[in-house]
Amino acid sequence: MVAALELYLDVHATRRIRTLWQALEAEGIPSLGSLNTKHRPHVSLAAAHRMDPEAVVAAVEGVPGLTLSMDFVGQFVGRVLWLGVTVTEELLAHHRTVHERLSAGGVEVWDQYRPGRWVPHCTISMRVPNPMMGPAIRRCLEMLPLTATVTGAGIADHANEIFKPIHGYA
């Protein structure tokens, strides 16, 4: 069970990432889109085993929006492929503000999402087959760079069918 505070991207960026998901699927590479049809392109600011949606909404409502640049491709251990979000002072300040508010609201998050440890990214696939990692990376590089405006946010826990939009975010 994983709950996340997700930032959602503008229509243009969302379409480009969904097109990338489809291109990978056509090549036999599973994408985040096929993992769960409710997934949408996003950047997660925080994650935990569980999050109280009401507490998170109360902690982050009214935080100003962002523009993100995705300029590189990365991977995590376990065959996770992602588009890397370029780190800026604005992004780090935004992330720090959100985590200060979450902490003040009693919301606990995983260490790897805390300020100073977080790797800002947009997940493309959670399970790229090892022999397909090279072609998958090349396909991702073909669509970069990508600029995206954050147009919304929500709490998503797909395993438990929980989705809570955060109104007033961005």
Side-chain angles (χ1 to χ4, degrees), residues 2 9 13 20 28 55 61 71 82-83 91 111 146 152 155:
V2 174
L9 312 175
L20 174 60
E61 273 189 318
D71 298 311
W82 42 269
L83 302 180
L91 176 60
D111 284 341
L146 175 64
I155 302 301

Side-chain angles (χ1 to χ4, degrees), residues 6 15 24 31 40 58 67-68 71 86 101 104 115 120 129 136 140 169:
E6 300 177 341
R15 278 191 197 135
L24 291 171
S31 74
R40 59 195 272 197
T67 298
L68 306 174
D71 298 311
T86 301
R101 290 181 179 192
C140 290
Y169 198 104

Side-chain angles (χ1 to χ4, degrees), residues 98-153:
V98 167
H99 277 265
E100 287 168 358
R101 290 181 179 192
L102 290 172
S103 180
V107 178
E108 294 292 322
V109 301
W110 289 337
D111 284 341
Q112 65 264 35
Y113 283 89
R114 293 184 191 282
R117 300 210 49 212
W118 175 61
V119 177
H121 65 281
C122 176
T123 302
I124 299 301
S125 177
M126 298 286 286
R127 54 197 168 144
V128 178
N130 286 329
M132 299 301 292
M133 188 59 80
I137 290 170
R138 282 191 293 281
R139 178 65 71 183
C140 290
L141 288 170
E142 290 172 357
M143 59 93 54
L144 294 177
L146 175 64
T147 300
T149 301
V150 174
T151 58

